[in-house]
Amino acid sequence: MRSTTAVLALGLVPPPAAVAQPRLNPVIDLVAAGKPVFGLYAPANRRARPGQPAPPADSMKSMSQLAAEALAYKPLDYVFEGTMEYNFDQTYPPFTEFAKAMHEGGALTKGKPARFTHPLFVKTPEIAPDPAVAATRIGKQLNEGVTGIVFVDVLNAAELKQGIAALRFRSKGGTRADDVGNAPARWGMSEKEYKERADLWPLNPKGELLTFTIVESKEGLKNVREIAATPGVGVLFPGAGTLRGVFTTTDAGGQRKFDEAAWEAAIQSVLAACKEFKVPCGYPAGAADIEKRMKEGFSVFVIGWGEQGFKAVELGRAAAGRQ
């Protein structure tokens, strides 16, 4: 048997098939390696609160400006766009402008191989009310070149399976239509190559798409183990903000009471299901709690944009040794 030195001296190299294809979506590399992942909500214009005047027109940034702001912050691992959870028809058009601006601003490296510097993950509205409409919406989001879909308020495994199917082309056993829109150009490849690579990891080890699944209701918590056991689940999150409302009641005197112990138990039940079924567990952390949640076992984080969010990313990366 030739030694490694002899092989190198002869100029022999492994055949191309033996070399792993570089991944376009770096979030999957981090998740697969068990490394903590830090994402930030996309920067957005300030919205007027009910009963308050609208922000001054000259304070509103264009989608190109917001995209440039997102791209200028390098320490994050992905950009989280959450506006389409409600009123999809109203929020989808500005999202397409943002996605286009991210691409034009350089979210995909120009070298060979190409790689996303700021992968885009987007919330999609609830699946359960109308799975067919949900599948159409997911297809439209994917056609803008996103690398991850975030399912909100998942109630059971059957609903999650419908969402997963909507991400996969029919040739891969899913329900996604063949129309791919702007996605191949945003991924820097041909339509043929896109259709091969735009599949779901970990169901397809070579896939470049990843799902986040959020459990944020008592029904979802009841079914969290079957949700965590669903093939294709990428990262599982407790919807901590929504769950705070779930575990808040109003007494006869109109006083609101937050059951913090029950809320924390709900969060821990999601984490326990993640650990049982070996699924990465996510959390909407901030600077005040990111290190605590990392010690507990959460490893994928979505964090608010702004100075406190940047601080949370810095704390998390330091705790993970990712400086």
Side-chain angles (χ1 to χ4, degrees), residues 24 92 95-104 107-110 114-116 120 140-147 180-189 194:
L24 186 75
Y92 175 73
F95 159 70
T96 64
E97 294 179 34
F98 180 76
K100 179 182 178 182
M102 288 286 288
H103 174 70
E104 292 176 345
L108 182 70
T109 61
K110 301 296 184 182
R115 189 171 172 87
F116 280 111
L120 192 55
K140 292 177 73 172
Q141 292 173 312
L142 290 170
N143 284 3
E144 292 302 319
V146 305
T147 52
V180 292
N182 296 311
R186 302 275 166 84
W187 283 29
M189 59 186 63
Y194 175 80

Side-chain angles (χ1 to χ4, degrees), residues 178-230:
D178 285 335
D179 171 49
V180 292
N182 296 311
R186 302 275 166 84
W187 283 29
M189 59 186 63
S190 68
E191 181 174 324
K192 180 181 178 181
E193 186 180 3
Y194 175 80
K195 287 184 175 180
E196 282 300 313
R197 298 181 68 178
D199 198 17
L200 187 64
W201 186 92
L203 286 180
N204 180 347
K206 295 182 179 180
E208 298 282 1
L209 296 175
L210 184 67
T211 62
F212 291 176
T213 296
I214 303 177
V215 172
E216 49 193 338
S217 68
K218 289 185 177 180
E219 184 175 352
L221 292 168
K222 181 182 68 175
N223 298 319
V224 68
R225 291 182 69 255
E226 71 172 45
I227 292 170
T230 302

Side-chain angles (χ1 to χ4, degrees), residues 46-103:
R46 184 167 60 88
R47 290 181 291 178
R49 294 182 178 181
Q52 297 295 316
D58 60 4
S59 71
M60 304 296 281
K61 298 177 181 178
S62 69
M63 287 300 168
S64 293
Q65 290 172 316
L66 292 171
E69 193 174 335
L71 292 166
Y73 186 72
K74 307 298 185 183
L76 57 71
D77 295 311
Y78 68 95
V79 175
F80 187 93
E81 215 290 344
T83 61
M84 288 175 284
E85 181 176 0
Y86 309 108
N87 200 337
F88 183 89
D89 291 338
Q90 179 178 324
T91 53
Y92 175 73
F95 159 70
T96 64
E97 294 179 34
F98 180 76
K100 179 182 178 182
M102 288 286 288
H103 174 70

